[in-house]
Amino acid sequence: MPTRRIIPCLDVRDGRVVKGVRFEGHRDMGSIEEHTAHYVTAGADELVFYDISASPEGRSVDLDWVRRVARLIDIPFAVAGGIRTRDQAAAVLEAGADKVSVNSPALERPELIEELARDFGSQCVVVGVDSLRDEHGDYQVKQYTGDPSMSRAAGRRTQEWVREAASRGAGEIVLNCMSRDGVRTGYDVEHTAAVIEAVPVPVIASGGAGAPEHFRDVLAAGASGALAATVFHDRLIAIPQLKEYLTTCGIDVRP
């Protein structure tokens, strides 16, 4: 079984790290540099940065802070935010990112996934999926979730979309369970396990981390990594102690 990854997620708006609950009510959490330096020292395996207002505003990610992060960091990091073209992805990678993550732009034009995988390799291409259960109990994909006033249904069932994304060349899926975001009640293990079963690529769980046991449960269910924000930003869970706990549970993590 591959080593599991612990991945802090940093939502970026106007050059600052922010965090909301269920994708709303974002509060300022501090500077990008401050959090980046902390997580490198703390032993994070990777970082993920989302420029959350880029897609709703119809622009691409701000390369200035990507370059600043690249100068500070010696672990892999992924960047997302309005990456709609091959050239925009190339600019993000050239600025220092190891991976690009696409969400709403891939829903707008699924061929984008194939173009990025062809030119940069599937290992550089992450597809983020914002998933929410509807009134019928089905999981549906949402898009433009960085701006609550623009968030809407994408007209795709989550299971169908992740299969298509993987078939088009995505090297990794990040599953954002929207109803769990920021509430710290645990990952949606059942939904995550179903997505893991549906695709042949690694799946990263996102949304709901509140205790070390939550990381244990979703990683034991087969997630390749666990992404979290609030518990790390607010220093409620320390990554070194979390990794020690997971090791005692028989889950293989990097030191």
Side-chain angles (χ1 to χ4, degrees):
M1 189 71 72
T3 302
R4 304 310 196 194
R5 290 170 279 158
I6 301 300
I7 308 172
C9 169
L10 296 92
D11 290 343
V12 176
R13 186 174 62 192
D14 300 326
R16 302 279 293 178
V17 176
V18 299
K19 186 66 188 81
V21 175
R22 292 174 176 157
F23 289 55
E24 297 183 355
H26 291 92
R27 58 191 172 102
D28 188 287
M29 302 296 294
S31 74
I32 297 171
E33 290 89 347
E34 172 192 356
H35 285 286
T36 297
H38 168 75
Y39 290 131
V40 171
T41 302
D45 298 307
E46 296 181 16
L47 296 180
V48 175
F49 295 85
Y50 292 115
D51 190 332
I52 62 171
S53 57
S55 282
E57 292 177 0
R59 60 173 177 82
S60 187
V61 63
D62 179 356
L63 295 177
D64 179 63
W65 62 257
V66 178
R67 296 187 186 98
R68 299 201 311 267
V69 166
R71 288 194 291 267
L72 287 171
I73 203 167
D74 59 1
I75 59 174
F77 72 102
V79 171
I83 300 170
R84 287 182 167 81
T85 69
R86 180 259 177 220
D87 288 347
Q88 288 172 338
V92 171
L93 295 171
E94 289 168 5
D98 298 277
K99 304 176 186 178
V100 291
S101 181
V102 291
N103 189 327
S104 294
L107 289 161
E108 295 166 5
R109 193 171 66 85
E111 295 81 8
L112 175 64
I113 302 170
E114 296 171 281
E115 295 166 6
L116 299 182
R118 178 196 65 214
D119 287 0
F120 307 116
S122 291
Q123 78 282 354
C124 288
V125 183
V126 180
V127 171
V129 180
D130 297 331
S131 183
L132 187 65
R133 200 170 196 167
D134 66 17
E135 64 273 18
H136 305 295
D138 294 325
Y139 284 95
Q140 304 285 343
V141 180
K142 303 277 281 187
Q143 62 187 134
Y144 309 124
T145 55
D147 182 343
S149 68
M150 294 186 65
S151 179
R152 63 179 177 83
R156 306 293 298 266
R157 289 185 176 180
T158 301
Q159 296 293 92
E160 295 171 356
W161 174 233
V162 296
R163 289 191 187 99
E164 180 177 343
S167 71
R168 288 181 179 271
E172 188 168 271
I173 302 292
V174 173
L175 179 67
N176 305 309
C177 295
M178 294 181 64
S179 65
R180 303 294 182 100
D181 179 69
V183 299
R184 291 184 278 170
T185 57
Y187 295 96
D188 188 335
V189 176
E190 182 179 0
H191 184 32
T192 303
V195 169
I196 292 167
E197 180 69 22
V199 297
V201 299
V203 175
I204 306 299
S206 175
E213 293 79 9
H214 298 155
F215 290 85
R216 176 201 63 196
D217 292 346
V218 81
L219 294 173
S224 294
L227 186 152
T230 303
V231 292
F232 293 149
H233 295 346
D234 287 339
R235 312 295 192 253
L236 301 176
I237 295 178
I239 292 174
Q241 284 70 44
L242 172 61
K243 287 188 171 186
E244 289 178 8
Y245 168 76
L246 293 172
T247 299
T248 66
C249 296
I251 295 171
D252 190 14
V253 293
R254 296 182 179 95

